[in-house]
């Protein structure tokens, strides 16, 4: 059985763009849990947050993570808050190597600034909010098997670093 490579980390650390490149390099499928949640719910994540609230979103996320954790040999990107739930992390680790992508708050801000799709960052002081959420979540991301910093790197470089680290780990 081949392990999955699971990308986690804060919003704007490049999980989706890196995941696509990584899957292409490995000749395997790329699964984005946020996209699956939108498909299943038939609406956008920002609409789920707005109409039904974050707890409802976390319930949908839990179900999707449970399902995709059963895959083998694929690349999976999960939303930035998924592994705050220990059940999600445990499921993802069962068949997967969990890779946490990091970036400095300033770089994250520059990457997410014009994106409307992040309901948690729809606040005046985005940099402050990014710092606050990272402080709360850092110790969850630290539970990953591998950490790769993405500041000033493109997805291709990050994917290569992940491959190197994963090969050392196996
Ligand atoms: C969230 C991150 C988002 C998405 C949702 C909540 C979070 O995914 O799941 O808006 O709690 O950090 P990305 O990390 O892919 O932006």
């Amino acid at each position: 059985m081949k392990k999955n490579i699971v990308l986690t980390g804060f919003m704007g650390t490049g999980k989706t763009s890196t995941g696509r490149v990584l899957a292409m390099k490995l000749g395997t499928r790329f699964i984005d849990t946020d996209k699956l949640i939108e498909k299943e719910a038939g609406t956008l994540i920002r609409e789920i947050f707005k109409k039904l609230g974050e707890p409802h979103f976390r319930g949908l996320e839990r179900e999707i993570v449970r399902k995709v954790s059963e895959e083998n040999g694929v690349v999976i990107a999960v939303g930035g808050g998924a592994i705050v739930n220990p059940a999600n992390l445990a499921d993802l680790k069962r068949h997967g190597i969990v890779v946490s992508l990091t970036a400095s708050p300033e770089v994250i801000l520059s990457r997410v600034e014009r994106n409307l799709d992040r309901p948690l960052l729809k606040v005046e002081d985005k940099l402050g909010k990014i710092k606050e959420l990272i402080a709360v979540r850092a110790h969850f991301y630290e539970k990953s098997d591998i950490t790769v910093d993405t500041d000033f790197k493109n997805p291709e470089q990050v994917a290569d670093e992940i491959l190197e680290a994963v090969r050392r780990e196996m």
Side-chain angles (χ1 to χ4, degrees), residues 9-12 15-16 32 34 45 49 54 57-58 61 78-82 117-120 133 137 141:
F10 201 74
M11 294 171 262
K15 300 179 292 291
T16 302
D32 185 331
D34 281 343
I45 285 173
F49 268 75
E54 184 175 349
F57 169 76
R58 296 298 171 199
E61 183 175 58
V78 296
D117 285 338
R118 265 86 176 207
L120 292 176
L133 279 173
R137 289 179 177 178
Y141 295 137

Side-chain angles (χ1 to χ4, degrees), residues 66-97:
R66 194 204 299 270
K67 265 189 224 164
V68 302
S69 295
E70 298 302 320
E71 297 275 353
N72 294 306
V74 301
V75 176
I76 301 168
V78 296
I83 67 159
V84 170
N85 182 341
N88 284 339
L89 181 63
D91 280 351
L92 291 163
K93 277 200 172 190
R94 204 165 302 125
H95 295 172
I97 296 183

Side-chain angles (χ1 to χ4, degrees), residues 135-151:
V136 172
R137 289 179 177 178
H139 77 280
F140 293 103
Y141 295 137
E142 280 161 15
K143 294 189 168 94
S144 301
D145 302 302
I146 293 166
T147 300
V148 175
D149 181 61
T150 68
D151 271 4

